[in-house]
Amino acid sequence: AQSVTQLDSQVPVFEEAPVELRCNYSSSVSVYLFWYVQYPNQGLQLLLKYLSGSTLVKGINGFEAEFNKSQTSFHLRKPSVHISDTAEYFCAVSLSLSFGGYQKVTFGTGTKLQVIP
Amino acid sequence: DTGVSQDPRHKITKRGQNVTFRCDPISEHNRLYWYRQTLGQGPEFLTYFQNEAQLEKSRLLSDRFSAERPKGSFSTLEIQRTEQGDSAMYLCASSGGDRLSIGDNEQFFGPGTRLTVL
């Protein structure tokens, strides 16, 4: 079974500063990795995903993440944050299968990003 | 708006009452998921439908919980004899289409139904 660890429950950062949200996963087989964002009282929105290929993945809103297989990490980064980035961010993992179809997604406990003006 | 919709957005009920939530997925999606999210936690998987077939249920889904997707379109989640521990956000998501997309498991989430059991 796969699992995801987000060690930082809250990350405060000043506006226009860079930010990194950490995510580590555990799995005995290949995985797909995702980052979702959740704004207050809303559902989750996909920021980016890693399926295969380049380990640096670019997503929406200027976010990017790097898949590091040796360190089993998939940290999310943004070079300059904006007030509107204040939200909760969830890392998620699913097994990489050779065929399409259903793959159970396991979510981390989330990191609240607070951008300070 | 053609995203995933959920109804109601908020539900307050007394312990012991039954509640039912509805989810309308994106119309061409054949896969539908229910999750529960409690404060300070990420979404926890409850159950999954492929068309009208319920293919997987989590151990979190006790006998008081039942989910249906009768025509492979909208889905309902019913909780009988609610308990205070059932208070949470219930999220619905959908994915997929007519073609099998290898590795493409992007799930589109609805806004959720927040349940408060008094």
Side-chain angles (χ1 to χ4, degrees):
Chain A
Q2 68 270 30
S3 66
V4 177
T5 301
Q6 292 181 252
L7 288 174
D8 304 310
S9 59
Q10 294 190 51
V11 173
V13 62
F14 286 104
E15 192 174 14
E16 297 184 4
V19 68
E20 178 179 86
L21 305 183
R22 297 182 294 168
C23 171
N24 288 88
Y25 69 91
S26 174
S27 174
S28 57
V29 298
S30 297
V31 297
Y32 299 135
L33 294 156
F34 310 84
W35 275 99
Y36 285 85
V37 60
Q38 186 177 34
Y39 298 101
N41 298 315
Q42 294 188 27
L44 280 72
Q45 180 184 8
L46 183 69
L47 275 179
L48 48 80
K49 59 186 176 184
Y50 170 79
L51 303 180
S52 65
S54 172
T55 56
L56 184 62
V57 180
K58 293 189 183 299
I60 62 171
N61 301 342
F63 284 94
E64 64 180 32
E66 186 158 16
F67 171 58
N68 188 319
K69 188 175 181 180
S70 62
Q71 296 186 4
T72 61
S73 68
F74 190 56
H75 300 332
L76 181 70
R77 302 186 185 100
K78 186 169 183 178
S80 175
V81 295
H82 190 267
I83 292 289
S84 59
D85 293 322
T86 295
E88 190 157 18
Y89 293 79
F90 292 92
C91 183
V93 62
S94 71
L95 297 182
S96 164
L97 302 175
S98 59
F99 52 92
Y102 167 63
Q103 298 137 20
K104 181 178 176 180
V105 179
T106 300
F107 289 84
T109 52
T111 298
K112 290 183 180 177
L113 174 63
Q114 183 182 5
V115 180
I116 305 165
Chain B
D1 188 342
T2 56
V4 179
S5 62
Q6 292 187 247
D7 183 69
R9 294 291 307 275
H10 304 274
K11 178 71 177 179
I12 300 174
T13 191
K14 293 182 179 179
R15 189 178 54 181
Q17 298 294 305
N18 299 342
V19 294
T20 300
F21 310 141
R22 177 179 170 125
C23 170
D24 286 89
I26 293 172
S27 58
E28 63 267 26
H29 284 179
N30 57 5
R31 300 173 198 147
L32 186 146
Y33 314 81
W34 284 99
Y35 292 87
R36 182 176 70 184
Q37 185 179 20
T38 53
L39 206 59
Q41 299 295 320
E44 296 171 294
F45 172 79
L46 291 179
T47 190
Y48 156 69
F49 289 86
Q50 173 104 12
N51 299 311
E52 67 276 8
Q54 188 174 20
L55 297 184
E56 184 171 347
K57 294 197 302 184
S58 163
R59 288 175 295 174
L60 292 174
L61 215 64
S62 75
D63 291 343
R64 297 185 296 106
F65 287 70
S66 62
E68 294 182 345
R69 195 182 182 198
K71 298 183 179 178
S73 57
F74 73 92
S75 175
T76 58
L77 177 68
E78 182 183 14
I79 309 174
Q80 296 182 326
R81 305 181 302 282
T82 52
E83 301 173 357
Q84 288 183 326
D86 297 331
S87 295
M89 174 80 87
Y90 290 85
L91 294 167
C92 175
S94 69
S95 73
D98 291 336
R99 296 177 293 109
L100 284 177
S101 301
I102 293 178
D104 191 0
N105 197 32
E106 179 176 355
Q107 298 182 17
F108 294 82
F109 283 82
T113 294
R114 182 168 295 283
L115 172 66
T116 302
V117 181
L118 301 176

